[in-house]
Amino acid sequence: MRWAWLLLLLLAPACAPVVQVRPAGVSGRVQITFDRWGVPHIRAQSDLDVFFAQGYVHARDRLFQMELGRRAAQGRLAEVLGASLVEQDRFFRTWGLYRAAEASLPYHSDFARQALEAYAAGVNWFIREGELPLPFRLLGFAPEPWKPADSLAWGKLQSYDLGQTWQDEIDNLYILSKVGREGFEELRGGYPEGWPTVLQPEDLQGVSREEKGTGALPWGLWASLRRVSELSERLILAARAPEQGSNNWVLSGSRTLTGKPMLANDPHLRLQNPALWYLVDLRGPTYRAIGASIPGVPGVILGRNDRVAWGATNVRPDVMDLFVLELEGSFYRTRLGLVPLRERQEVVRVRGGADVVFTVRESEYGPLISDLGPALLRFGLTPGVPLTSEEQAVAVRWTGLDPDDTTLDAYLGMNRAGSAAEFREALRRYVAPMQNFVYADVDGNIGYIAPGRLPLRDWDGRFPARGFDQYWRGYVPFERLPQVANPREGFVVSANNRVLPHGGPDISTYTTEVFRAQRIRELIQGQPKASLEDMARWQVDTYSLVAREMLPGLLALRPVSEAARRLQEAVRGWDLRAELDSVGATAFAFYYREVSRMLEDELGLRYPPTPYLFIKTLREDGRWCRNAALGIQNCAEFMALALERAGVELERRLGPDPSGWQWGRLHRASITSPLASLPLIGGLYTRVIPTPGSIQTVNVASYNQDTFLHTSGASLRTLFDLADLDNSRVVYPMGQSSDPFSPHYDDLLELWRDGRYIPLSTRPSDWGRSWTLRASAPMRGLRCFVGTRSWWWAQASSAQPAPIGWLSEA
């Protein structure tokens, strides 16, 4: 009894009497049930009230994440985080993401604009309640009201993250200067013959592109853009991750035990905390969707409704181009004469410092991003490189900056599609980022399409173009985009591999990923009739085709040192799976680490992600093995040295006893938050966990090859059963809440690591023990705060969950 009184005394200061009222903007009855994993199941009498409730729950669980996202897109992080973010703010203000988001609002449908308004009203209702999450209190600021453009800008930041091909043009010029045209084509050239493509010859709808000519950059401009590229790698959000990738596949009913389609999707992104995704179940009179949403954006991004399921992977087409402009003062030259540059002043407010004022210059080709390079010198980030010539500049053109970007309309249309055909039609509104969508409906149809704007150009898009006489000729028409309905094979697989069949151009400038797609096809073709359990097993498959290709050469070597011999013996009986207890996976990873330094002498690059090139070179005794500085004349000598070095490094780190070489001891996911650097409490925002998988396995677990820290992988896993959509499953790393004191902060992490799932179901019987969050009128009571969250006292039920939320009468 004494403990009960003590508990009441501890809670008393955190409780206050309140009067509950109907939230402004809600037109009728809204009910929310949070299931045992913290997933909100929203039920409303109005479709717009659904979005209001979604905005509320997003803010409740992820408001600080949403705040960082919109401030990054706005270029306003320095206001709250200080001078170290000035150059990031300058970067995104120069690109103009937020301006583009504002410009696109009028192009959206009435329904999309109303959804954005309702969503913003829900976010703002939470903000007005005054229960701001802990980071706001620690940093001493409150969020401004949420606006519809904030959601669109957050979406553009994600689009930028998935399509940063402008940096490839800079990298390509560098590679070309180092190894010449022949070497460049070998390193960045065509997709290897015989490896899988997404579409098969019988599915092909041609996409023709004539490309010729190669642009060039003067040294000063090239160096300037290299500095801009270096800056982009340090961004707190949307830094380029070259090893990003994804898997999806869809099976027709002819290949499943149920006779209905099944679909799987796992987008691979940087591991982050909080996670990018937030699970939600949204049901109104006509709008009904369940799956993974992005906090800050209304609707469901990857998921299903009552009739259609879908998944996406990144196409990574060339939709960004650099244009070299010839300047004359404040004008630039075109074929039609001189055109004035548009200029605008930007002011970056800096917490604890003076405002930073700068000028952004824009052209019809886009913003002049070469202006960012000299700015980095002024901030002392890249010393010793000459400034850009005042007679030339480089602009960037990107489809995501088009004012009529209506991608959100496409997603909301996908959410409401009643059939595979309606799903495809919804994607006409899709602009960026271009994705490989697979889809299926309850009638048994399956399909694939890569929607989005794909520029038509007359030059080699892998290099910068001359702004004087080159420009996009428009976009590939929707009907000619790669797509297929009910393919003859009975399935479609995409895993960042080539989209179009061999024999012509692809929609990506270059694609070399081959192994995940090949392994998925092997698994599908090896199982005549698949179950959902088979799909789940395939999704976490850790079998390495890279190792299968390279192991014969490794086992044929004659080690000199005992360390090299022990490494070789560790892989001799290995089953080629990168499981937590695998010794062979660890030994092979150290060998592969040394092999992937193959281009270090030619390009100065350590560990470029090009495993097929390494395998091809070793198999053919190619020139990239040779290293004059080390006296290596052929691939046999190169592999022998790689084995010796790998053995030494492996035993330096883990000792000579192979029994201590388990993969999980070395390969760990470190999932950190931007708040991890905070003194005293930063550790609350970091989770470290051993993980299976490796580079290029279906269960991708890409890692830093110096630290072996797992940095990117499956950010989400979904499985959809079109015979019973409520039998669908989902999981992602971490949890629904960004509050480290919440039980839903990391309750999905071990499930994700172990290849387990939670139901993605609209059935209350699948939700487990539920709990309530109430705000209904009229009622008086105590509002009690625990950590940074509040609950109305309510009774949880483990049987039939009670619908909860705003119980206002219509």
Side-chain angles (χ1 to χ4, degrees), residues 748-770:
L748 302 180
L749 182 56
E750 290 191 4
L751 298 178
W752 166 80
R753 189 269 310 275
D754 296 339
R756 293 180 286 159
Y757 301 79
I758 66 173
L760 188 61
S761 173
T762 63
R763 289 188 297 241
S765 58
D766 292 329
W767 298 345
R769 184 175 178 84
S770 65

Side-chain angles (χ1 to χ4, degrees), residues 30-255:
V30 180
Q31 300 178 341
I32 307 175
T33 301
F34 288 87
D35 66 24
R36 62 170 291 191
W37 300 280
V39 177
H41 300 267
I42 296 170
R43 305 291 182 264
Q45 294 173 323
S46 156
D47 289 336
L48 295 183
D49 286 352
V50 167
F51 297 116
F52 181 101
Q54 184 184 16
Y56 185 90
V57 296
H58 273 176
R60 176 184 169 277
D61 282 331
R62 300 285 189 86
L63 182 59
F64 189 70
Q65 178 187 25
M66 294 162 61
E67 179 71 10
L68 285 185
R70 72 165 165 177
R71 281 185 173 272
Q74 291 170 335
R76 296 181 56 198
L77 284 170
E79 285 185 22
V80 295
L81 299 179
S84 63
L85 274 302
V86 166
E87 279 309 305
Q88 168 154 326
D89 286 349
R90 184 184 179 110
F91 183 91
F92 282 124
R93 290 202 192 199
T94 298
W95 278 74
L97 266 62
Y98 197 77
R99 292 167 61 85
E102 291 178 311
S104 71
L105 266 172
Y107 292 93
H108 284 79
S109 67
D110 289 343
F111 180 77
R113 290 197 301 272
Q114 291 168 4
L116 286 164
E117 292 282 359
Y119 179 89
V123 175
N124 293 331
W125 184 261
F126 178 83
I127 293 173
R128 281 196 297 271
E129 286 185 340
E131 286 179 53
L132 295 181
L134 179 62
F136 288 100
R137 287 179 273 162
L138 290 173
L139 294 172
F141 78 98
E144 298 169 356
W146 194 267
K147 295 184 292 186
D150 296 341
S151 294
L152 296 178
W154 194 197
K156 286 189 180 296
L157 193 69
Q158 302 304 320
S159 180
Y160 174 87
D161 188 22
L162 292 172
Q164 299 177 54
T165 55
W166 67 274
Q167 291 157 302
D168 294 333
E169 297 186 18
I170 303 169
D171 294 343
N172 289 343
L173 286 174
Y174 173 76
I175 295 171
L176 184 65
S177 70
K178 291 289 186 179
V179 300
R181 171 61 71 171
E182 183 181 348
F184 174 84
E185 293 299 339
E186 190 172 349
L187 295 177
R188 296 286 228 188
Y191 187 83
E193 290 286 342
W195 288 87
T197 57
V198 177
L199 295 183
Q200 308 311 306
E202 63 267 22
D203 304 330
L204 179 62
Q205 295 189 22
V207 178
S208 60
R209 290 195 303 166
E210 289 186 11
E211 296 189 343
K212 55 187 177 183
T214 300
L217 286 177
W219 166 251
L221 277 176
W222 182 84
S224 176
L225 287 176
R226 285 287 290 178
R227 292 194 291 272
V228 180
S229 182
E230 289 167 8
L231 167 64
S232 73
E233 302 294 341
R234 299 192 295 269
L235 301 183
I236 188 172
L237 295 170
R240 182 171 61 158
E243 294 173 354
Q244 286 181 173
S246 305
N247 303 323
N248 66 22
W249 63 90
V250 60
L251 309 182
S252 72
S254 65
R255 287 187 167 272

Side-chain angles (χ1 to χ4, degrees), residues 350-405:
V350 183
R351 180 171 184 164
D355 294 351
V356 175
V357 182
F358 64 97
T359 300
V360 175
R361 300 189 293 173
E362 292 182 308
S363 71
E364 65 177 320
Y365 299 94
L368 272 57
I369 62 169
S370 57
D371 287 355
L372 288 165
L376 299 185
L377 284 179
R378 293 198 293 274
F379 283 85
L381 297 180
T382 311
V385 180
L387 290 174
T388 301
S389 166
E390 294 182 359
E391 297 178 353
Q392 291 178 313
V394 177
V396 65
R397 179 82 167 87
W398 174 37
T399 57
L401 295 180
D402 288 356
D404 56 343
D405 179 358

